[in-house]
Amino acid sequence: MNTAADAGPGWAEAAGGLGRDLHLELAARGGGRGGGGRRAALTTALREAVRGGRLAPGTRLPPYRSLAADLGMARNTVAEAYAELVAEGWLSARQGSGTRVADRPAPPIAPSGPPPAPAAPPPGSRPVHDLREGIPYTASFPRAAWLAATRRALDAAPNDAFGPGDPRGRIELRRALADYLARARGVRTSPERIVVCSGTAGALRLLASLPRLRSAPLAVEAYGLAFHRRLLTGAGLRTTPLPVDGRGADPAGLAASGAGAVLLTPAHQFPTGAALHPDRRAAAVGWARAADGLVLEDDYDGEFRYDRQPVGAVQGLDPERTVYLGSVSKSLTPALRLGWMALPAHLVAEVVAAKGEREQWASALDQLTLAAFIESGGYDRHLRGMRQRYRRRRDQLAAVLAEQAPHIRVTGIAAGLHAVLRLPPGTEAAVARAAAFQGIALGALRDYLHPDALPAAAESGDGAGAGSLSGSTSASDSRSRTGSGSGIPADGLVVGYAAPPDHSFTAALAALCGVLPSG
């Protein structure tokens, strides 16, 4: 570290007392090395740091003795510089509180020209009613149980848990996941074949870097998450859509598509809500075997089902042809950024190599905590409680629509955290604009449609009229205009019911009904 005495004009750093670091730009004044020149250089540097906002009001400065030692100055020089700046109002000094940057009101700015027009709410601002899909009820995060799991995990953690670690993830979590996924989702895997990653998006980024996925198109469902499509195309992959109807994605066109892999949401097609029919599950796996392809299974909300038996993972049909993707984004919170892949044995080394070069690792401490949370039974208890909460929310949504908008058909409600509201043809855009004007955040169904797919007019899904939770599925009379079309009606809303606080959910539903077209 250069001191003010030998550095001349340039940078000087001081590691102040009490562990406080202070970075100052000291320029020699007048070319001299006397106390006056040094004090002037120090006062100028401090004054400029405060004026420029780098030292904010209330920032505590190092004790003058520590700063003098680090800068190679006499203590009196630093003490006098502090005193000068206190007298000028730049700093304040109180007994027992040390020397701090003083509070200074911002200088008034004279207005010029006419007053600006009121600004529109910035993108990302909080909506009045948050009915977006995929957002859990964040107030229900199990803070006390998570804290207890953190303590247990830290008490039991070996020393190597605080080092770089295995790029596959902590073995404690991989063991816990292998047991949980086998028990709850029918996944056939082992800890050695699980790779922990930063959510499903992190998993897709890793997979998109593999040569075998880059060598051929990736088939995706005609309706899906636009963010995932942008992620995949941004990584250089070409996606081709598969038709979607009341039985889920139709794999019949896979062989002719030239795809090397297919991305599916079998348990609860996103966003339409259909479960992949058993015949189509078998057909997708059969295609993968015959074409040396891969099925990428996004099990994004498989834990939340209400009116039907649990749908096990497609991965259980052929673990060597299926990559199973999961995360805690819906079940706990997206803030953890924890996800996982259960991989075919032949892909593990390739994915781990890609992760080491391309992917940030998920926090080892969060991994240890999640492992302890799963093993203690806390994760299962949390899921059971949230399943009951979300079912009540879903029932309330359906009941309100049955009473106030009985002409609106609701589908996709046998599982998950959202519903699809079927709208009269040609009304979706106007309803979406009205919702935005009222501060209602929700999704327009067309926004989930692949750009190379065309919607059709057929009815499908797992719901009936508003308020009916029978889970009945109408026969598909799909009139798709192209081979990559969809049997899903063109106009609809994707409405989440998990996120709003309890005290505002009723108002959110009333606002929603207020923007729906009349019957």
Side-chain angles (χ1 to χ4, degrees), residues 371-387:
F373 192 52
I374 293 173
E375 290 174 343
S376 70
Y379 190 59
D380 285 271
R381 287 190 293 271
H382 175 72
L383 288 175
R384 284 195 297 271
M386 298 313 297
R387 199 176 295 130

Side-chain angles (χ1 to χ4, degrees), residues 190-480:
S190 66
E192 294 72 29
R193 292 167 57 168
I194 291 179
V195 173
V196 179
C197 48
S198 55
T200 301
L204 290 176
R205 288 189 183 95
L206 285 171
L207 294 169
S209 70
L210 303 185
R212 68 172 297 157
L213 263 73
R214 303 180 68 85
S215 61
L218 172 66
V220 299
E221 295 162 327
Y223 282 92
L225 193 61
F227 167 69
H228 283 173
R229 288 199 299 268
R230 290 194 299 269
L231 184 156
L232 294 167
T233 55
L237 273 63
R238 183 166 68 88
T239 61
T240 182
L242 294 177
V244 173
D245 57 28
R247 304 198 304 166
D250 186 354
L254 277 173
S257 71
V262 57
L263 175 61
L264 299 174
T265 52
H268 189 226
Q269 200 286 321
F270 183 85
T272 67
L276 190 61
H277 190 276
D279 291 346
R280 293 184 174 181
R281 292 160 65 94
V285 172
W287 163 82
R289 291 169 177 162
D292 191 26
L294 283 174
V295 175
L296 312 182
E297 179 178 11
D298 181 2
D299 196 26
Y300 68 100
D301 66 358
E303 296 92 349
F304 298 115
R305 70 276 178 187
Y306 312 119
D307 298 322
R308 66 187 183 205
Q309 292 297 315
V311 179
V314 168
Q315 190 266 3
L317 299 178
D318 194 338
E320 291 303 320
R321 291 293 173 190
T322 308
V323 177
Y324 176 88
L325 311 175
S327 79
V328 298
S329 293
K330 310 295 186 297
S331 58
L332 277 174
T333 169
L336 280 175
R337 304 306 308 149
L338 272 178
W340 49 83
M341 292 181 278
L343 294 163
H346 65 274
L347 280 185
V348 174
E350 194 173 355
V351 169
V352 170
K355 185 181 182 185
E357 296 176 358
R358 300 172 184 265
E359 184 76 359
Q360 294 181 349
W361 294 0
S363 164
L365 301 184
D366 288 341
Q367 293 181 52
L368 290 169
T369 299
L370 180 58
F373 192 52
I374 293 173
E375 290 174 343
S376 70
Y379 190 59
D380 285 271
R381 287 190 293 271
H382 175 72
L383 288 175
R384 284 195 297 271
M386 298 313 297
R387 199 176 295 130
Q388 294 172 3
R389 163 178 281 278
Y390 294 149
R391 178 169 185 157
R392 290 193 298 268
R393 285 286 184 91
R394 185 224 38 190
D395 291 352
Q396 185 178 351
L397 167 67
V400 168
L401 289 171
E403 179 182 353
Q404 300 187 29
H407 56 288
I408 299 297
R409 184 168 179 254
V410 185
T411 64
I413 52 180
L417 308 181
H418 70 271
V420 176
L421 278 55
R422 310 296 189 184
L423 299 177
T427 63
E428 178 184 289
V431 173
R433 287 195 299 269
F437 184 79
Q438 296 294 332
I440 307 170
L442 45 70
L445 185 59
R446 189 176 290 270
D447 291 341
Y448 299 87
L449 185 64
H450 193 286
D452 294 336
L454 292 175
E459 292 286 342
S460 61
D462 62 11
S468 173
L469 307 183
S470 64
S472 62
T473 301
S474 60
S476 174
D477 62 345
S478 176
R479 295 184 289 273
S480 173

